[in-house]
Amino acid sequence: MESRNLIGKKIGDKIYDLCTLQEENLEHVPDSEPIYYDDSESALEILRHSCAHLMAQAIKELYTDAQFFVGPVVDEGFYYDFKTEKKIGEDDLPIIESKMKEIAKRAYPITKYTTTRKDAALRFANDELKLAVMDRIQGDRFSFYTQGDFEDLCRGPHLPNTKFLQHFKLTKLSGAYLGGDESAQMLHRIYGIAFSSKEALKDYLFQIEEAKKRDHRKLAVSMGLFSFDDEVGAGLPIWLPKGARLRRNIESMLTQALIARDYEPVRGPEILKSEVWKKSGHYDNYKENMYFTSIDGVEYGIKPMNCVGHIKVYQNSPRSYRDLPLRFYEYGVVHRHEKSGVLHGLLRVREFTQDDAHIFCTSSQIESEVAHILDFTKSILEIFGFSYEMELSTRPKKSIGGDKVWESATQALKKALDDKKITYKIDEGGGAFYGPKIDIKITDALKRKWQCGTIQIDMNLPSRFGLSYTDEDNLPKTPIMIHRAILGSFERFIAILIEHYAGEFPLFIAPTQVCLIPITQAHTHYALALRQRIVTRSSAYVEVLDKNETLAKRIRTAEKQHIPLIVVVGDKEIEDKILSVRDRSIREQYNLSEEEFIKMLQTRLSEVRF
């Protein structure tokens, strides 16, 4: 397939396929951007949307009773939700994929026509899923795309012909509730991926296999980091000693950085009366994500965010303009009601801890404070080896506050980004209900993007709670509140770190930094004494692996746990005080004296600072 085949155009922010361009007489609109058959973002949207229809056509030929709900393009490719009386398992995916290839080779032209709601309803009179789709669409005009004897209700965009679909793969099968409603029927959902070239597909599939090897849930088992227990409840992680040490190492480094940047530690309660959540707006705008209970006949809400507690800290004392900015931080435990189907290891849980901070400042301090946060973010993410991008999210439909307040806050964020010469995308309507925000999206070693940190300007909550400070003229003014998290949550960030490093944590955060392995029980006493000397002088966490197992098995255990520095202790080490060090970070073995080894640890652990 030629890469310069025109498959559509982009006009403004909207992608049009060739059918729609002709239908709406847009073929010669000036300043339109041509979209060619390649692996650009716009081309892949057309390609993958068309591949979803190809999959639906193959399913329909294999399972004639199949009915289809929706088949959108998503970050991981595309999917289609459908139902059939036939039982479908993972083993059926290659069969469906084979049928897709067969259909694609038939080179069906993909055409479009438009009809009325009434005609569409008649066409789908016996198809409850398509009727459910129509109920979600406003207006009287409905477009259909056809290829061979298959047609589907769809707004597009699509390729001109099925022959363009050559490089695709079905990736997984799962269940999905109709429209995401847990009370509705369960449908099949098949995911797939598609590219314009064989090489791009091959690279992607390699990344998928590599991601499976790096799955934080599997590595956590071999490394003893965390677990889940059905008796405790889904989405509630249990941190094992090594995982807790990993968290502590990150928290300790972050705490030092926060104190150096004039942040003050605070702590709010984890359960507050519902009246305060009504006052904040969470009750009306976020209630479905919260847990509630009753005490002495009064309703309480378990906090999903830390902001109200920090507001109460601010209210505890009179404030002057001389006090501002005030920077409060808390490693705050929060709870959010997540549906069972979306829980996924540490990436999506019901209890998590945010590296949360709230800054109270004057309007003239917004830009400098946001700039300060952007610099802080850069210093942290670069240490972990992450590249990242920023996205500015604007006012959503469900929100509180006036237009002027929102516009002022949005412009302040834009100016801070522009002043730092940071390139950013706009996510229209993606802001928090109380204010616009900057989302920080990191890219890991497999080039996957993860949304972690956020910076949010809030002029609404300070007003709702009557916050004030005395200005230079001794008059009361309302402060600005900046919500800020850099890691996002320790749980999600650690999951990303595990997969980013494939468990090979750098020395400064590794849960066990040094492992001493005595060759025999006769060498254990020296290993324990050496451990004490190292811990006392370097603050490294040192483990002595002296189980009654073979030396080879104990070395394999240390390697399986990805311990950065492994030292085998025997007669020679005791006599000469020279340590043979296996350094996983450089995949080399070298000799150091005890003193040199301890000084090396001191240096490596002290040189990394946020």
Side-chain angles (χ1 to χ4, degrees):
M1 193 64 58
E2 300 231 357
S3 63
R4 300 312 287 171
N5 279 314
L6 184 71
I7 60 172
K9 287 187 177 182
K10 190 171 184 179
I11 303 173
D13 293 329
K14 189 173 179 181
I15 294 172
Y16 295 84
D17 58 31
L18 299 183
C19 288
T20 306
L21 287 169
Q22 185 177 27
E23 178 187 60
E24 299 185 18
N25 196 26
L26 297 172
E27 294 167 291
H28 305 294
V29 170
D31 300 324
S32 60
E33 177 187 335
I35 301 172
Y36 297 102
Y37 180 76
D38 56 25
D39 288 324
S40 65
E41 186 176 341
S42 297
L44 286 178
E45 182 168 341
I46 299 175
L47 184 67
R48 291 171 180 173
H49 205 146
S50 302
C51 209
H53 276 218
L54 180 67
M55 180 175 72
Q57 184 174 5
I59 291 169
K60 190 67 175 177
E61 289 193 13
L62 291 167
Y63 313 100
T64 55
D65 69 321
Q67 292 184 352
F68 300 91
F69 185 51
V70 292
V73 173
V74 289
D75 287 343
E76 58 267 46
F78 63 86
Y79 69 78
Y80 225 117
D81 290 347
F82 66 98
K83 74 172 185 176
T84 174
E85 293 301 318
K86 300 293 174 67
K87 186 177 180 180
I88 296 181
E90 294 284 347
D91 293 342
D92 294 301
L93 296 188
I95 298 170
I96 297 170
E97 196 175 297
S98 179
K99 176 62 72 173
M100 290 170 67
K101 292 177 180 176
E102 176 191 321
I103 295 170
K105 287 178 181 177
R106 297 174 196 165
Y108 289 128
I110 301 175
T111 59
K112 177 185 179 183
Y113 70 90
T114 304
T115 186
T116 63
R117 178 180 288 273
K118 181 179 179 181
D119 287 344
L122 288 172
R123 186 177 300 274
F124 293 124
N126 297 316
D127 190 331
E128 62 173 324
L129 295 190
K130 282 304 173 193
L131 291 174
V133 174
M134 290 179 60
D135 286 343
R136 295 163 178 261
I137 301 173
Q138 295 181 341
D140 187 55
R141 306 298 291 174
F142 288 81
S143 58
F144 288 77
Y145 282 83
T146 66
Q147 50 197 57
D149 58 0
F150 177 81
E151 70 174 22
D152 200 6
L153 174 68
C154 185
R155 64 183 178 186
H158 286 282
L159 293 165
N161 195 295
T162 62
K163 68 183 179 182
F164 284 85
L165 296 165
Q166 299 179 7
H167 312 293
F168 53 82
K169 181 75 176 175
L170 301 186
T171 54
K172 63 180 177 178
L173 169 71
S174 67
Y177 292 108
L178 175 63
D181 182 354
E182 290 182 346
S183 65
Q185 63 180 299
M186 179 69 79
L187 305 176
H188 297 291
R189 174 176 290 181
I190 295 178
Y191 285 88
I193 195 74
F195 292 92
S196 70
S197 67
K198 182 178 180 180
E199 294 75 18
L201 177 61
K202 183 179 178 181
D203 288 346
Y204 178 84
L205 295 177
F206 172 78
Q207 296 278 41
I208 291 294
E209 288 306 309
E210 187 64 23
K212 289 178 182 177
K213 295 176 189 176
R214 294 169 178 248
D215 189 322
H216 73 283
R217 296 167 298 177
K218 294 179 181 178
L219 287 172
V221 173
S222 63
M223 297 179 71
L225 300 177
F226 64 87
S227 69
F228 291 91
D229 190 318
D230 289 339
E231 194 171 15
V232 171
L236 303 171
I238 299 166
W239 290 90
L240 306 178
K242 288 183 174 66
R245 292 203 298 268
L246 172 62
R247 280 187 62 147
R248 180 204 61 187
N249 291 343
I250 297 171
E251 288 176 7
S252 296
M253 288 184 63
L254 188 56
T255 298
Q256 290 178 9
L258 287 164
I259 292 170
R261 289 167 173 80
D262 295 325
Y263 282 81
E264 291 283 356
V266 297
R267 191 181 186 281
E270 292 183 28
I271 181 170
L272 299 85
K273 288 182 179 180
S274 288
E275 285 304 312
V276 79
W277 298 117
K278 291 176 182 177
K279 191 172 186 178
S280 69
H282 287 84
Y283 202 87
D284 291 333
N285 294 277
Y286 206 75
K287 184 179 181 181
E288 65 274 13
N289 300 107
M290 295 176 64
Y291 296 106
F292 293 90
T293 189
S294 180
I295 303 174
D296 297 332
V298 177
E299 186 181 52
Y300 284 72
I302 300 174
K303 68 174 179 179
M305 301 174 188
N306 301 295
C307 41
V308 173
H310 293 194
I311 284 172
K312 290 300 175 183
V313 173
Y314 183 93
Q315 287 181 321
N316 188 62
S317 301
R319 307 294 180 180
S320 161
Y321 72 95
R322 295 186 183 89
D323 300 324
L324 306 183
L326 279 171
R327 305 182 183 114
F328 297 147
Y329 82 90
E330 175 182 4
Y331 301 147
V333 178
V334 298
H335 294 79
R336 296 181 186 176
H337 179 238
E338 299 283 2
K339 294 178 180 178
S340 299
V342 302
L343 297 175
H344 183 82
L346 291 182
L347 288 170
R348 187 67 75 90
V349 289
R350 288 174 173 155
E351 177 188 274
F352 55 94
T353 305
Q354 294 177 308
D355 69 314
D356 214 355
H358 292 90
I359 299 165
F360 298 89
C361 62
T362 67
S363 58
S364 63
Q365 294 170 333
I366 292 177
E367 289 166 31
S368 61
E369 287 303 306
V370 172
H372 183 272
I373 297 167
L374 292 173
D375 288 340
F376 194 4
T377 299
K378 185 174 185 289
S379 70
I380 291 176
L381 297 183
E382 285 184 349
I383 281 176
F384 289 112
F386 289 121
S387 60
Y388 60 94
E389 59 188 43
M390 303 282 187
E391 187 172 79
L392 177 62
S393 301
T394 60
R395 185 175 191 170
K397 290 182 180 178
K398 198 172 185 180
S399 60
I400 58 176
D403 292 341
K404 288 184 178 179
V405 169
W406 274 85
E407 180 61 23
S408 175
T410 304
Q411 289 305 316
L413 289 178
K414 281 184 177 179
K415 190 169 190 311
L417 288 167
D418 291 338
D419 288 348
K420 285 287 179 183
K421 295 182 171 53
I422 294 174
T423 302
Y424 58 92
K425 296 179 180 178
I426 301 287
D427 177 17
E428 295 290 351
F433 71 86
Y434 47 74
K437 62 178 179 172
I438 297 171
D439 283 331
I440 303 158
K441 298 186 176 183
I442 64 177
T443 301
D444 70 7
L446 295 182
K447 299 180 181 177
R448 299 172 299 181
K449 296 186 189 304
W450 305 93
Q451 203 277 300
C452 289
T454 187
I455 306 168
Q456 303 171 3
I457 304 295
D458 187 349
M459 299 178 178
N460 289 303
L461 287 183
S463 177
R464 285 191 165 220
F465 281 88
L467 303 189
S468 67
Y469 67 91
T470 304
D471 71 5
E472 297 94 325
D473 299 319
N474 209 31
L475 296 173
K477 288 284 182 67
T478 303
I480 306 299
M481 185 177 184
I482 301 175
H483 306 248
R484 184 242 69 186
I486 295 176
L487 306 184
S489 80
F490 287 103
E491 284 75 7
R492 182 177 173 82
F493 191 73
I494 287 172
I496 295 167
L497 282 182
I498 294 170
E499 299 193 5
H500 178 62
Y501 290 120
E504 300 280 351
F505 295 118
L507 182 70
F508 68 91
I509 59 165
T512 300
Q513 289 150 330
V514 180
C515 182
L516 304 178
I517 306 179
I519 293 176
T520 69
Q521 287 299 314
H523 306 113
T524 298
H525 179 74
Y526 172 78
L528 291 171
L530 177 58
R531 175 190 181 276
Q532 190 60 43
R533 289 194 291 275
I534 295 171
V535 170
T536 301
R537 293 183 55 191
S538 73
S539 76
Y541 191 92
V542 184
E543 184 177 341
V544 176
L545 207 56
D546 59 348
K547 288 185 179 180
N548 188 22
E549 298 172 340
T550 66
L551 176 63
K553 185 173 182 180
R554 283 179 285 146
I555 291 174
R556 284 198 301 273
T557 297
E559 290 176 339
K560 192 176 180 181
Q561 292 180 5
H562 306 288
I563 297 173
L565 298 171
I566 301 172
V567 179
V568 178
V569 177
D571 290 337
K572 190 174 185 306
E573 286 71 27
I574 295 174
E575 183 178 342
D576 299 338
K577 300 293 188 292
I578 299 295
L579 306 179
S580 179
V581 183
R582 302 183 186 203
D583 192 328
R584 292 182 65 91
S585 66
I586 55 176
R587 293 296 190 267
E588 288 183 6
Q589 187 165 322
Y590 49 81
N591 296 325
L592 292 175
S593 69
E594 276 190 23
E595 185 65 23
E596 288 170 333
F597 182 68
I598 292 172
K599 285 184 176 178
M600 179 267 286
L601 273 174
Q602 290 172 332
T603 299
R604 288 177 62 175
L605 291 174
S606 64
E607 65 187 3
V608 182
R609 289 286 181 268
F610 292 153

